[in-house]
Amino acid sequence: MKIGQTIYFDHQATTPLDFNVYEAMQPYTAESFGNPHSSEHIIGWRARKAVDKAASDVAELIGADADEMIFTSGATEANNLALLGLARGVEKCKRKRILLSEIEHKCVLEIGRVLQKELNYEVRRIPVDDTGSLKLKILEEEMDEDVLLVSIMAVNNEIGTIQDIPAISRITSRYGSVLHCDAAQAPCALDITSLAQYADLVSLSGHKMYGPMGVGALYARRSLHNSIQPIIYGGGQQNGLRPGTLPTPLCVGLGAAAKQMIGELASAERKAVSIRRDLFARLVAELPFETWVNGPAEGTLRHPGNINIGFSGVSAADLLNRLQPRLAASSGSACSSGITEPSHVLRAIGLGEKDASSSVRFSIGRHTSDDDIYEAVEVLQASLEDIRENGLL
């Protein structure tokens, strides 16, 4: 897709708001503006009904029940509520170890540091192989009945690796440990309608699946609700787990976006996106420059819209700058903007600092066309040739 003259290849940073989602939200920004917690009149009742339906729609996305969904401001807050909330809520229990994968989102890794420093949990990081897949044997070796929680991202936001959550769940459940899954990138990558069968806590984000920014959700298995301590204090909304007035339009938008991620049309869309992703990868590989692909070689093990490419001898920052304003891509997570060190994800899969600093994430979506693919490759080739002509390659 194009935004003006710019080809947008950064869908894993954020997806455009779907028009049908926008249409669903519109009534709740104007005439149906009621507070969903106003329980004494019909205006509030109508807003409450819309929020309840949205909770049901989001729950259906992962195979949960509506009363197990907690609306948040996004996946970062959901991750904080899941990890901090549970760790604080059961602080006096004997389970004092928490396991995270090496390639978790930065916010999860930061929460891990807080848990270790402030609550005295032992936080261990489980390594991944060179494709980004969790080393299950090492996970098994680390598991014991003192492990409170294991947090594994369903789909990586930089290299697109899809983790085997059912296999991970089989390991963690043997020890009675809680499994948290950051699934922000998952809805656009695969069918997750059975995810709640395997994970006890699941974080979701609206703007990663063609919904609005500023809203997400945490699925918390019903049996855990009494063990989670809120991280925000106020009224008693959402069973006291996440107080504050719910933003009705955003909740409705999240529900509408979730509905679009289910069924045959969603499956067909993922397939179409993966075909265009593979076309882009093939065309880039044919360019007269040395490149490689970071992450899984097999397309079915990777987010269908993700391709992370290394350009030998090229500074990713320089390349991305030269692509402007015609092609929008990124060097990794948008949540790490301003951080100058190489991606922790690329380092975790074995890349040295130089190669990690030469890698660019391209991520396409439902509105990306074949013409966009061909034009993007032309822009990329011109930028690489410019780098070479200036003696920087």
Side-chain angles (χ1 to χ4, degrees):
M1 65 175 292
K2 276 191 172 182
I3 303 172
Q5 295 302 307
T6 305
I7 310 165
Y8 188 66
F9 269 42
D10 203 17
H11 284 75
Q12 284 191 272
T14 192
T15 51
L17 181 64
D18 183 84
F19 180 75
N20 292 324
V21 172
Y22 174 76
E23 288 279 280
M25 294 169 59
Q26 280 300 95
Y28 300 96
T29 63
E31 64 269 20
S32 299
F33 60 86
N35 186 325
H37 310 293
S38 296
S39 59
E40 298 174 326
H41 54 72
I42 193 169
I43 304 301
W45 300 342
R46 288 170 179 164
R48 180 77 242 180
K49 183 178 180 180
V51 168
D52 287 346
K53 182 182 184 305
S56 294
D57 290 340
V58 178
E60 185 182 0
L61 174 65
I62 61 170
D65 293 328
D67 68 329
E68 297 176 300
M69 304 308 304
I70 304 163
F71 287 109
T72 66
S73 62
T76 293
E77 185 190 340
N79 288 338
N80 273 266
L81 179 56
L83 276 66
L84 275 176
L86 181 65
R88 288 173 176 170
V90 297
E91 191 175 355
K92 295 182 180 180
C93 82
K94 294 180 179 179
R95 294 177 178 263
K96 298 299 291 184
R97 285 205 302 142
I98 292 174
L99 307 180
L100 315 174
S101 87
E102 284 276 12
I103 60 171
E104 290 304 297
H105 190 277
K106 282 277 185 142
C107 76
V108 170
L109 298 179
E110 183 59 32
I111 296 165
R113 284 188 280 270
V114 171
L115 293 174
Q116 192 159 357
K117 182 178 180 180
E118 297 184 8
L119 298 179
N120 297 316
Y121 281 91
E122 180 186 351
V123 179
R124 302 290 298 272
R125 295 188 185 183
I126 307 301
V128 296
D129 64 19
D130 59 4
T131 72
S133 295
L134 193 74
K135 292 187 176 181
L136 298 182
K137 184 177 180 181
I138 295 180
L139 174 63
E140 284 202 79
E141 291 171 352
E142 287 285 348
M143 290 300 302
D144 205 338
E145 292 183 358
D146 65 345
V147 175
L148 171 65
L149 179 138
V150 178
S151 182
I152 307 297
M153 180 183 274
V155 180
N156 187 261
N157 56 315
E158 293 191 34
I159 58 175
T161 307
I162 297 173
Q163 301 293 348
D164 189 345
I165 297 300
I168 294 168
S169 177
R170 287 192 291 272
I171 295 170
T172 60
S173 62
R174 288 203 298 269
Y175 297 89
S177 302
V178 174
L179 176 60
H180 167 252
C181 185
D182 178 349
Q185 298 286 345
C188 288
L190 69 162
D191 185 325
I192 57 171
T193 52
S194 61
L195 184 56
Q197 294 180 25
Y198 305 106
D200 305 289
L201 298 162
V202 176
S203 301
L204 296 166
S205 173
H207 76 106
K208 304 294 188 182
M209 55 175 167
Y210 303 95
M213 287 185 177
V215 66
L218 174 68
Y219 156 71
R221 193 178 300 283
R222 194 176 295 106
S223 59
L224 289 176
H225 284 204
N226 290 332
S227 300
I228 297 174
Q229 186 178 117
I231 59 174
I232 299 173
Y233 295 89
Q237 296 95 336
Q238 302 199 85
N239 297 322
L241 292 173
R242 201 279 189 175
T245 302
L246 286 173
T248 306
L250 297 180
C251 294
V252 169
L254 181 63
K259 290 286 284 186
Q260 292 192 0
M261 295 290 110
I262 300 171
E264 292 182 5
L265 288 178
S267 178
E269 177 179 284
R270 295 181 193 108
K271 178 64 175 176
V273 170
S274 70
I275 291 172
R276 291 193 172 94
R277 183 270 317 274
D278 292 345
L279 171 62
F280 179 74
R282 186 169 66 253
L283 293 173
V284 171
E286 293 172 357
L287 295 178
F289 301 93
E290 184 181 346
T291 64
W292 70 88
V293 174
N294 297 309
E298 187 177 340
T300 57
L301 301 179
R302 176 192 290 272
H303 186 301
N306 170 281
I307 186 74
N308 190 303
I309 300 176
F311 298 88
S312 183
V314 175
S315 161
D318 186 21
L319 176 58
L320 289 167
N321 186 58
R322 290 169 190 268
L323 293 175
Q324 301 314 302
R326 295 187 61 192
L327 178 60
S330 64
S331 57
S333 172
C335 299
S336 298
S337 295
I339 298 176
T340 57
E341 72 263 19
S343 159
H344 71 283
V345 174
L346 297 180
R347 296 304 298 271
I349 64 172
L351 268 66
E353 183 174 342
K354 183 177 180 181
D355 285 347
S357 298
S358 298
S359 298
V360 175
R361 179 187 70 182
F362 300 93
S363 49
I364 66 173
R366 62 168 58 149
H367 302 299
T368 305
S369 67
D370 286 352
D371 287 343
D372 292 333
I373 298 293
Y374 286 109
E375 185 175 347
V377 173
E378 290 178 1
V379 173
L380 180 59
Q381 181 173 1
S383 297
L384 289 168
E385 288 174 349
D386 185 46
I387 290 173
R388 182 158 59 189
E389 289 170 5
N390 281 277
L392 300 175
L393 177 60

